[in-house]
Every structure is written in C-alpha cells, then in structure tokens.
C-alpha cells in the first residue's frame, strides 16, 4: 500500500478542510497516510515574516477568508475565525506528536474542528485537555508527554525536516518519490500520484 | 449571458495554462469573458518585492516550476522556462490592450505559447511583432497604438483597478457580483459561480 506523508500546521486555515477530507480520499485510493504536524512559524520567520502572510498582506488575507468560506460551504464544514488569528499551535502540535499513529488523526480533526469550526482557543491547555478527554484519553498523561524534552525535540526535528524538504506553506502531501503537493486544492492530485506509484 | 473578468499578467506562469484553457471552459458554461491584462509588478512593489516571489523565495519557486510542469503535462501544454524569468511584460500587455476584444484572446494565447511553450523573449519588440504578423495584423500599426499615451494610461488604469479590487496575484476571475477566484486552479469554480448567477 503506498504511503504519503501528510504535513500540516494547526494554525493553517487551508489545513482545516484538508485534515477533515483527507482520510476518506486516501481510503478511496488505497493510500496510507502518515500524519505529520509541523510548525510553519520558524520557516516563515527565516523569510522575515513574524506573522501570518494573511495578516501581513491584507489583500491576500481578505481573499483567503473569502476563498475558505466558499470551500467550507462546499464541503459542509462550519467556519468560525479564531481570535487571535493565527492561533499559537505549538501545544497542539506537541500533543499530536505525543499520540500514537491511531489517535493522531482523530485528535488532529478534533483540534481543527474546535479551532476553525468553533473558533475555540487551541493555544490554551484547557481546550486541548478537553479534546483529549472527549476522545477517552488521559489528558494529564498526554500533556505531560507533550511537554517532555523528547516530544519538544521531535517537533523541532520534524519542522527542520519539513524545511529541508522545501515546504513553505501548509498543508502538503509528500509522496514516496519526493513529489510535493501544496494546498488543500492539491489533495486529490497528490493522492492520485501516490496511488499511481503502486501500479 | 453572464460576463466574467479574466485578469491576467503576461509574466505570470500560472496565467499560461489558464489562458490556454479558459475559452473552452467558458463556452461550455455559456459564460462570456472579458480579457483584461494588467501588471503585477507595481502591486508587488508596494509589498516591497522588486522581483517575482518565485525568485525571492527559492523553495516557493522550486515548487511552482514542479507544480507547473505537472499541470502542463496534464493539459498537453509544452513548457519551456523563459530566460530571464520573469519576462518584462509591459510591451505585451500594452499590445494586448491596443487590440480589440476579438483579437485580444488570440494574441494573448500566442504570447503565452511563445513565452512559456517556446521560451521566447516576449519583452522584445521583434517577438511581439512576429506574433501580430502571424495573426495577419499590421504589427507596425498595432505597436504604434500600443505605445501611445492612451494605451499606456489605459494599462496604468487597469492595473490600479486590479489593485483596488484586491488582486495580488494572477490569474484571477472576477464575477459580476464581485467574487474573486485566484489561480489557474480556480478557473472552473469561478466560471461555475458566474454561470450560477445567470440562473
């Protein structure tokens, strides 16, 4: 079964519809997903951006929210802009990495649904804890692992790897032969490419 | 018949497949196109960018060329990177504006095919003249109009209007109700939206 790396950033707006849609699209094509949260902030900072490009460039930001509104409406996804935007995504990313490969997709969808579906503050420990508990997990134990040195270093390594692969936005699919597909609007193309590799 | 404004920039890579594809897609939906060349350079310059973002941000540039390669392959379009990239697009845009609404689409496709299909220098007067002549037009007369004050001012006005609409990239579709669809990958969505307005 072909494997595709799904690289996403919890603060990223277009990662929201991507995360909500991708499991079914991958299943349809017999493609296995590797869910890899990373941080865009350090990568953008090297380009001199201390904030989201959607805040720095007002026209780009206005367009993005209008485009995202259309996309969410088409897929029946609620959309509520979190305040502040972008949310600090470090704790969510660490918690996702602290989970195993079975729980990570469900937790990821829960975080995006809370953040962009409900406008909830995912930077807050209480929000993340509530999402973990709703999954029947021991929130205290997960959050302890999430803030361990191993997981902190793990997220740093993942972010460094993402940058070395040439990722500069989110979400992305990276196939086994190294093709990169950037954006919610390239999910189908990336999964089709990966499925083709298996033939 | 619903009308959609198709805003494009001759230096823009993603405008190439868009310009080659859009007429058939619009026909299928009974949508009428208004072909509007503009200049992105002055808009990007206000964001502090003196070059294409694809040159300034190497990772983004590498991705774009690889993505464009896949897109052109899918649509059976040849792709040859012009050198230098981006090409100065002022003369091509002025010549396009100097033509009437009937000749402009054909000339536009000829410019893109020469530039990104053939890697030819569209900044050069000889290239533009050859394309006009191949269309059976009087190249000297068109180029004289293209460099007239009226056309120069016209292109400046169009670019100012594009900026005031919130355009920050190319290509774009702008529908009669003011929705913006940015990118070759939003052509179908924008035309569907416009066709829906007619119902």
């Amino acid at each position: 079964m072909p494997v595709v790396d799904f690289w996403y950033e919890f603060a990223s707006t277009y990662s929201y519809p991507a995360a909500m849609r991708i499991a079914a699209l991958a299943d349809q094509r017999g493609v296995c997903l590797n869910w890899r949260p990373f941080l865009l902030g350090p990568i953008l900072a090297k380009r001199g951006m201390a904030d989201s490009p959607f805040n720095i460039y007002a026209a780009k930001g206005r367009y993005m929210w209008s485009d995202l509104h259309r996309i969410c409406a088409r897929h029946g996804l609620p959309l509520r802009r979190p305040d502040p935007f972008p949310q600090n995504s470090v704790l969510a990313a660490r918690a996702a990495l602290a989970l195993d490969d079975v729980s990570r997709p469900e937790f990821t969808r829960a975080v995006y649904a809370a953040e962009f579906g409900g406008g909830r503050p995912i930077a807050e420990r209480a929000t993340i804890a509530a999402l973990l508990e709703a999954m029947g997990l021991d929130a205290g134990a997960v959050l302890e692992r999430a803030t361990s040195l191993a997981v902190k270093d793990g997220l740093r390594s993942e972010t460094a790897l993402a940058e070395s692969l040439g990722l500069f936005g989110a979400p992305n699919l990276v196939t086994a032969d190294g093709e990169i597909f950037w954006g919610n609007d390239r999910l189908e193309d990336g999964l089709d490419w990966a499925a083709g590799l298996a033939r």
Side-chain angles (χ1 to χ4, degrees), chain A residues 89-150:
Chain A
S89 56
V90 175
L91 182 62
R94 286 177 179 163
L97 272 190
L99 295 171
D100 61 27
D101 292 347
V102 175
S103 301
R104 194 178 304 124
E106 185 184 342
F107 173 73
T108 296
R109 285 187 290 265
V111 170
Y112 281 116
E115 181 185 18
F116 293 111
R120 287 166 62 195
I122 63 148
E124 291 178 16
R125 189 182 166 93
T127 305
I128 299 298
L131 297 176
L132 291 166
E133 274 156 25
M135 288 174 63
L137 298 170
D138 180 340
V142 174
L143 285 168
E144 197 179 317
R145 269 205 310 283
T147 49
S148 68
L149 192 62

Side-chain angles (χ1 to χ4, degrees), chain A residues 6-22 40 52-54 59-72 74-75 77 79 82 85-86 112 115-116 169-172 181-187:
Chain A
F6 173 47
W7 290 92
Y8 55 96
E9 150 67 86
F10 280 110
S12 147
T13 50
Y14 287 110
S15 295
Y16 164 47
M20 306 311 271
R21 301 193 308 121
I22 197 169
L40 257 183
S52 163
F54 298 126
K60 199 165 193 170
R62 273 195 302 276
Y63 175 77
M64 180 276 290
W65 287 109
S66 135
D67 188 48
L68 189 67
H69 179 83
R70 290 189 304 239
I71 290 167
C72 288
R74 181 191 311 154
H75 296 297
L77 294 169
L79 176 60
F85 170 80
Y112 281 116
E115 181 185 18
F116 293 111
N172 306 275
F181 294 83
W182 170 45
N184 170 65
D185 46 22
R186 293 291 189 281
L187 280 194

Side-chain angles (χ1 to χ4, degrees), chain A residues 135-179:
Chain A
M135 288 174 63
L137 298 170
D138 180 340
V142 174
L143 285 168
E144 197 179 317
R145 269 205 310 283
T147 49
S148 68
L149 192 62
V151 167
K152 288 180 176 177
D153 281 349
L155 182 57
R156 244 178 249 122
S157 300
E158 287 290 276
T159 297
L161 176 57
E163 185 179 11
S164 75
L165 289 170
L167 307 189
F168 55 87
N172 306 275
L173 293 179
V174 181
T175 60
D177 60 343
E179 286 284 314

